[in-house]
């Protein structure tokens, strides 16, 4: 049984490409840094917060990513798609570790309307958009 468990874990690890692993590690590192900034390093999975505040914190984190809070000083603001992808990856990390994803409407796979509107606002403000 132990060999089967180890093999299954290895197969799951092989099911994710290195690029995806790197992106997830990077977004988790930035999330942990953000949690320290907002004085919440004791609860990175937000289990002590009501659901609506979890989603709001994800939105605040998205705004911090957008303005390059975790990037080099001379970098331009991140485009909406990059921010949305990072927040989605963070949501996947949450789902895998604690069973819920703050980017989704509770009990569904739909992106929370507040985040949907926020990402839409970012897309509208992206360079080249009218």
């Amino acid at each position: 049984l132990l060999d089967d468990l180890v093999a299954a874990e290895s197969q799951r690890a092989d099911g994710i490409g290195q690029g995806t692993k790197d992106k997830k590690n990077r977004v988790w590192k930035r999330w942990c840094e953000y949690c320290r900034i907002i004085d919440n390093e004791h609860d990175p999975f937000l289990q002590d917060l009501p659901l609506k505040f979890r989603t709001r914190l994800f939105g605040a984190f998205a705004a911090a990513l957008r303005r390059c809070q975790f990037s080099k000083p001379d970098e331009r603001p991140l485009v909406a798609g990059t921010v949305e992808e990072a927040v989605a990856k963070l949501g996947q990390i949450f789902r895998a570790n604690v069973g819920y994803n703050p980017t989704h409407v509770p009990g569904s796979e739909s992106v929370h309307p507040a985040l949907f509107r926020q990402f839409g606002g970012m897309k509208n403000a992206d360079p080249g958009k009218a």
Side-chain angles (χ1 to χ4, degrees):
L1 176 64
L2 182 58
D3 288 342
D4 292 337
L5 291 171
V6 170
E9 184 59 34
S10 176
Q11 291 163 350
R12 281 190 289 274
D14 290 345
I16 299 173
Q18 189 59 47
T20 299
K21 289 177 190 176
D22 291 345
K23 287 177 183 179
K24 282 188 173 184
N25 288 337
R26 187 169 41 253
V27 76
W28 181 251
K29 178 182 171 195
R30 289 174 176 168
W31 173 251
C32 289
E33 182 180 344
Y34 186 72
C35 284
R36 280 189 296 277
I37 290 167
I38 64 169
D39 202 23
N40 190 54
E41 64 270 19
H42 67 284
D43 185 26
F45 286 110
L46 310 178
Q47 293 182 300
D48 294 340
L49 292 176
L51 290 174
K52 68 180 180 178
F53 292 118
R54 295 172 188 173
T55 302
R56 287 180 185 172
L57 272 180
F58 265 48
F61 178 64
L65 288 172
R66 172 76 167 190
R67 70 173 186 277
C68 295
Q69 182 168 336
F70 310 101
S71 303
K72 295 175 184 168
D74 59 340
E75 289 188 33
R76 292 179 302 202
L78 298 177
V79 296
T82 302
V83 174
E84 191 171 0
E85 179 185 7
V87 172
K89 290 203 179 319
L90 183 59
Q92 292 168 4
I93 292 168
F94 269 63
R95 169 126 17 241
N97 285 278
V98 290
Y100 63 84
N101 181 340
T103 66
H104 293 157
V105 173
S108 83
E109 295 295 315
S110 299
V111 173
H112 193 282
L115 292 174
F116 184 80
R117 284 190 304 272
Q118 183 177 356
F119 296 140
M122 288 180 188
K123 288 174 188 169
N124 290 339
D126 274 351
K129 299 289 180 180

